[in-house]
Amino acid sequence: MRARLIVALTLLGSAPALFGSAPAWAAEPSGCDKFKWSIDKERAALTAQDRLKITSGADLAIPAAAILDLKTPAEAKLPTSPERKPKDGTFAGFARFQKAPKAGTYTVSLSAAAWVDVVQDGEILKPMEFSGATDCVGIRKTMKYDLAAGPFVIQVSGVTENTISLAVLPSE
């Protein structure tokens, strides 16, 4: 009996090695105070009552706060293939920005989990910084990007609902 218990405990302790690591969301912190920087402006923009309601492919200007209507990945017709292939049963969409008011750092924030591609001059930009937390009403993740003063596109994919709130603001 004792030998079985030892074997069972040993197997439980090695479960991550046997079955892979924990899901990415399991490692993320919980609560609004767990973001790496203050998200007050971004959260206020994502929850504002006067957010625009836009369809995928619409034009926006910075500062922007909108509820983006999403489609299946096939129907969304994203301008650039996402870096991460969307899972079946998820939604995708994009918004066009004719230009950033000036070159600089901007935050891109979302109300729910999603994959984000910021595309400028035909290149998918990498975020300078990323912060996310679960259990924070109105905001799920925020990223900082260095943008040139030119047109760009924000694509979201892998969203479990058919809408998502998106905010693009100058970073402080």
Side-chain angles (χ1 to χ4, degrees):
M1 179 73 158
R2 190 178 302 192
R4 286 184 188 164
L5 179 60
I6 290 172
V7 169
L9 290 174
T10 301
L11 287 174
L12 283 174
S14 62
L18 293 173
F19 302 109
S21 61
W25 58 263
E28 288 195 89
S30 175
C32 297
D33 61 335
K34 300 299 190 270
F35 282 85
K36 294 177 186 174
W37 57 83
S38 173
I39 47 111
D40 294 339
K41 275 189 345 184
E42 290 80 2
R43 187 173 179 213
L46 289 169
T47 58
Q49 295 297 316
D50 61 348
R51 285 170 292 166
L52 297 173
K53 291 183 178 154
I54 63 169
T55 60
S56 181
D59 289 328
L60 285 175
I62 294 175
I67 300 169
L68 179 60
D69 196 29
L70 305 173
K71 301 175 181 190
T72 66
E75 295 171 327
K77 296 184 172 124
L78 300 176
T80 303
S81 294
E83 278 196 322
R84 183 182 289 175
K85 185 179 189 280
K87 293 181 181 177
D88 290 339
T90 62
F91 298 91
F94 66 99
R96 296 181 191 277
F97 293 79
Q98 293 308 310
K99 68 176 199 159
K102 62 181 182 177
T105 303
Y106 293 85
T107 60
V108 175
S109 305
L110 300 172
S111 61
W115 183 258
V116 177
D117 291 306
V118 176
V119 183
Q120 189 169 47
D121 294 327
E123 299 290 323
I124 295 177
L125 304 179
K126 300 291 182 209
M128 298 165 43
E129 293 184 78
F130 165 89
S131 187
T134 59
D135 303 317
C136 181
V137 174
I139 188 169
R140 174 64 180 80
K141 70 192 294 184
T142 185
M143 298 141 294
K144 292 183 181 182
Y145 289 90
D146 187 24
L147 297 175
F152 64 97
V153 173
I154 295 178
Q155 303 180 152
V156 294
S157 56
V159 184
T160 58
E161 301 293 325
N162 64 358
T163 63
I164 192 166
S165 289
L166 164 76
V168 182
L169 304 171
S171 182
E172 293 181 352

